[in-house]
Amino acid sequence: MDSRRKESYGLNSPEMVVSRKRRAAASALRALSRLAARRRKTRSVVLMYHAVGNSVHCVSTDAFEAQMSYLKAHARVISLDAMLNGQCRHSTAPLTCAITFDDGYVGVYEHAYPILRRYDFPAILYVTTSGLDRDRGERFYTIPGFFPGEPTVTWAQVQEMSSERMNIGSHLCHHLDMRGLRPDVGMEELMRSKEIITQQVGAPCKHFAYPFGLFNDQNVDWVRKCGYESAVTVRHSVVADNLDPFRIPRMGLAPMDSFADFVGMLRGDLDYLLVVRKVRQILGLV
């Protein structure tokens, strides 16, 4: 390594100084978030997962098991319907939680579902119906917006889960950014996916998840007009008492998150992310 590169990696180099300042700022924000969260006697959150299993895109089965075990010991886990009906507002439990999954990967059925059944936890799976209307050979690579190489569930698997405390919601027919859709296309995607799911599981499809977590006020109006009762986002926040059922916040779990990250998120260490997002919105960065 030449002298210039050595200097750039030095403890007092501009890059290292900025890195230390960022870590210090993040640490301070986490501490402030934790302190603010502890002042509340109760806390309600919606968790968001995608794939569960053993590939690079998945929250590992062992990690998911550990997380559900923690919830069993430290939280009251309820359905999204129960949360929307206000059960979290009147709960005396320190932590109330709902569990959701997006897209419809087969790992939810093969790995997450047995664990949820063992703990008797309700959950909701938002499926993109075009991903399920393909034969097994196509499920691996050709679904835009999905993790490459991750197969999806079959309708038979969805039907089995729906009979065992797994609600089935819509993630559109195709995994599209709704903000760029014409009203007729957006409404057709919402209505058709709702109809397909209702036919397949024999129960009304009442809940929706915005693909990529992206939406605008017009999209919210479409969801409401199509007869859905709720819609979830990817905005990191607790569930407030004045919850907007069509802008429900969720806290996402990723493959790289440690168990300490999971616990810290639940207790409020990352609540500052909502403030960061609002600042970025004001600055026009999102």
Side-chain angles (χ1 to χ4, degrees), residues 39-198:
R39 297 183 66 180
R40 294 177 59 94
K41 293 183 179 179
T42 61
R43 180 176 172 84
S44 300
V45 302
V46 179
L47 299 181
M48 175 183 65
Y49 293 90
H50 285 82
V52 178
N54 302 310
S55 81
V56 67
H57 304 296
C58 297
V59 171
S60 74
T61 305
D62 289 344
F64 187 76
E65 169 78 54
Q67 292 167 9
M68 295 304 103
S69 177
Y70 181 89
L71 292 180
K72 189 69 173 180
H74 298 94
R76 179 187 179 214
V77 178
I78 63 176
S79 67
L80 188 68
D81 280 305
M83 191 167 279
L84 289 167
N85 291 337
Q87 290 192 25
C88 57
R89 289 198 298 270
H90 308 292
S91 175
T92 58
L95 177 64
T96 300
C97 175
I99 301 168
T100 69
F101 300 87
D102 283 9
D103 297 344
Y105 299 107
V106 74
V108 175
Y109 174 79
E110 294 177 345
H111 302 288
Y113 170 58
I115 295 170
L116 293 170
R117 288 189 67 187
R118 189 158 64 250
Y119 288 106
D120 195 29
F121 285 167
I124 182 166
L125 171 64
Y126 298 100
V127 297
T128 299
T129 57
S130 67
L132 279 64
D133 293 333
R134 300 164 184 254
D135 64 40
R136 174 60 67 179
E138 289 184 319
R139 277 201 186 97
F140 286 84
Y141 299 103
T142 59
I143 306 169
F146 276 38
F147 294 134
E150 291 295 332
T152 60
V153 288
T154 65
W155 281 117
Q157 291 166 341
V158 168
Q159 291 158 4
E160 179 184 340
M161 289 189 290
S162 71
S163 67
E164 293 285 349
R165 308 197 73 190
M166 179 73 82
N167 201 322
I168 308 300
S170 168
H171 209 34
L172 293 185
C173 291
H174 302 88
H175 200 275
L176 302 170
D177 180 349
M178 295 179 68
R179 300 172 303 173
L181 300 181
R182 298 196 317 266
D184 59 326
V185 175
M187 296 282 277
E188 172 63 20
E189 283 275 332
L190 286 161
M191 289 300 299
R192 183 60 183 149
S193 61
K194 193 175 193 291
E195 292 169 357
I196 292 171
I197 293 167
T198 298

Side-chain angles (χ1 to χ4, degrees), residues 184-240:
D184 59 326
V185 175
M187 296 282 277
E188 172 63 20
E189 283 275 332
L190 286 161
M191 289 300 299
R192 183 60 183 149
S193 61
K194 193 175 193 291
E195 292 169 357
I196 292 171
I197 293 167
T198 298
Q199 292 169 359
Q200 288 287 346
V201 305
C205 174
K206 303 184 294 182
H207 306 296
F208 178 72
Y210 299 104
F212 309 104
L214 301 174
F215 66 96
N216 56 32
D217 290 343
Q218 183 183 47
N219 303 148
V220 173
D221 190 49
W222 296 348
V223 175
R224 187 182 292 108
K225 286 180 177 178
C226 287
Y228 290 91
E229 296 180 8
S230 79
V232 293
T233 72
V234 298
R235 294 176 176 174
H236 185 103
S237 179
V238 296
V239 175

